[in-house]
Amino acid sequence: MINTGKNAKTKEKDGNALGKDDFLKILITQLQNQDPTQPLQDKEFIAQMAQFTSVEQLTNMASEMKLMRQSLGFVSGMIGKSITWTATDSSGASIEKSGIVDSITFKDGNQYANVKGEEISLDKLKKIENPGETK
């Protein structure tokens, strides 16, 4: 089979590592080449499917960890910055608040900037700037 330019630029991976696609190909090949008079026993098949599910979940976790590391690198740069956000006061009216970011917190997959003990969800931020700069 000739490798075209389209296929040549696919993801490079460690030659010793098997991914979930490789595992699925092996499983399909095994099913195609099994002896019809002695099919896989249920226990073996269920164990292989459980392994496949584990491989897939580990792959998903690795992807999520990579995203979190990238995200953490971005949001950690907010520490020491002045931020402005929209908050709701006790009467339910929207007010604009600002302060210097003390730290970043992760809870339930969401990121929060901490300003004097108050956690602000990053989706509520309106402005990020260096302290002392006003425009």
Side-chain angles (χ1 to χ4, degrees):
M1 184 151 107
I2 298 174
N3 199 3
T4 63
K6 218 187 252 187
N7 293 335
K9 296 207 175 202
T10 57
K11 287 184 194 175
E12 289 183 26
K13 64 178 183 176
D14 183 6
N16 296 327
L18 291 176
K20 64 181 180 179
D21 292 335
D22 298 323
F23 185 82
L24 188 56
K25 286 176 187 175
I26 292 169
L27 183 62
I28 289 171
T29 303
Q30 182 179 4
L31 289 173
Q32 289 172 341
N33 295 314
Q34 71 182 359
D35 182 358
T37 61
Q38 295 179 346
L40 287 175
Q41 293 184 7
D42 290 341
K43 286 191 285 185
E44 291 175 4
F45 184 72
I46 290 169
Q48 287 177 346
M49 290 308 291
Q51 287 174 340
F52 176 71
T53 302
S54 296
V55 168
E56 185 174 20
Q57 291 303 318
L58 286 171
T59 302
N60 292 342
M61 281 181 15
S63 298
E64 290 296 323
M65 290 297 290
K66 181 178 177 182
L67 287 173
M68 191 171 104
R69 282 193 311 270
Q70 290 172 347
S71 175
L72 182 59
F74 164 72
V75 295
S76 66
M78 290 177 51
I79 296 173
K81 300 284 185 183
S82 175
I83 61 170
T84 304
W85 69 95
T86 304
T88 307
D89 65 9
S90 57
S91 65
S94 291
I95 57 171
E96 196 171 276
K97 296 175 90 176
S98 63
I100 306 290
V101 177
D102 300 320
S103 63
I104 302 295
T105 306
F106 290 92
K107 286 186 183 175
D108 301 321
N110 296 318
Q111 301 167 343
Y112 299 90
N114 295 309
V115 177
K116 296 181 184 172
E118 184 176 352
E119 290 184 336
I120 301 98
S121 178
L122 297 185
D123 62 347
K124 295 188 180 199
L125 297 182
K126 295 179 88 175
K127 188 186 338 181
I128 303 170
E129 62 186 349
N130 287 322
E133 291 183 13
T134 54
K135 292 183 183 182

